[in-house]
Amino acid sequence: MQRHIYLEDTYRFTVTTQVVDAGTGELGSWLTLRDNVFHPQGGGQPGDVGTVGDMAVRPFKAPGTDTHVVRLSCERLLEVGDEVTSSVDPEVRRRHAALHTCGHVVDGFVRELGFRHRVSNHFPGQARIEFDAGADKPDLEQLARTVEERTRRAIEDDRKVYASESGDLRLIGIDGLHEDPCGGTHVSSLGQLTGFSLRSVKVKGGVLKVGYVVEHV
Ligand SMILES: [Zn+2]
């Protein structure tokens, strides 16, 4: 079974491991490594980018498997059994983890105000969470002020981010705040976040859209 290091430690960027599977599909060549540091796109969070040896790779979830297997699309095939050093781009990893973790916090505080979550997008430059706006138009200024204040306070308090298991589910919790099922990468505590603000809060077609910006320290 593949070991997923990105689920254990956001800040481990490199592993030397073995190629355990390789092939060619519709989208080109791919490899599977025994120990995997790459987060594939999912749950609104973009995938990592990185290298195997000197070759650029991009992770994706292997289709049609019961277990969670991450493959790496690549320019040329390697042999099964080859030992390789694989690395994620640390800056991209940190940026994605910051945007995604901040998404948990903003999402939790908007839900506390009674809105139901619809969908998340944690891509750089377009991070936004959408909710059902409800029947009455909410007071958007008040909502923005409340969510921004609570998020800033949680960051100032440097609340810890932790993972736990519940059956087959991986739960991500933020100390004293929310706990949600998630397979993404997260900062270790909210003190790792800087430059947070809400960039837009609006309602369109019954959907409340809350956009934000944040960086990793
Ligand atoms: Zn998450």
Side-chain angles (χ1 to χ4, degrees), residues 48-173:
D48 283 318
V49 295
T51 54
V52 169
D54 60 0
M55 178 168 60
V57 296
R58 280 186 177 271
F60 65 99
K61 288 176 187 166
T65 54
D66 289 340
T67 53
H68 177 48
V69 175
V70 175
R71 290 176 178 170
L72 304 173
S73 68
C74 53
E75 282 177 2
R76 62 178 193 277
L77 281 181
L78 301 177
E79 297 285 326
V80 170
D82 280 358
E83 189 171 280
V84 294
T85 296
S86 61
S87 304
V88 297
D89 182 319
E91 284 311 307
V92 172
R93 161 65 61 82
R94 284 197 185 92
R95 189 178 313 135
H96 290 176
L99 281 163
H100 174 71
T101 309
C102 194
H104 276 274
V105 181
V106 171
D107 175 44
F109 285 137
V110 176
R111 281 189 285 146
E112 270 184 15
L113 299 175
F115 298 93
R116 206 162 63 87
H117 177 268
R118 289 169 61 103
V119 66
S120 295
N121 172 350
H122 301 141
F123 279 64
Q126 45 182 287
R128 184 176 75 203
I129 311 173
E130 297 186 2
F131 305 84
D132 288 331
D136 303 320
K137 190 169 190 305
D139 180 340
L140 296 181
E141 265 184 40
Q142 174 67 35
L143 183 149
R145 205 163 37 240
T146 303
V147 170
E148 207 163 45
E149 271 175 21
R150 290 180 185 177
T151 303
R152 282 188 202 286
R153 202 175 312 137
I155 292 171
E156 279 168 21
D157 290 348
D158 191 20
R159 291 188 182 268
K160 298 285 173 276
V161 181
Y162 59 88
S164 60
E165 306 271 320
S166 173
D168 288 343
L169 279 183
R170 176 188 190 233
L171 297 176
I172 291 298

Side-chain angles (χ1 to χ4, degrees), residues 181-213:
C182 186
T185 59
H186 306 84
V187 301
S188 53
S189 71
L190 298 188
Q192 302 294 315
L193 304 180
T194 187
F196 164 75
S197 68
L198 293 182
R199 61 181 172 81
S200 70
V201 178
K202 58 191 175 190
V203 171
K204 197 175 176 188
V207 179
L208 168 64
K209 300 180 178 184
V210 180
Y212 63 95
V213 292

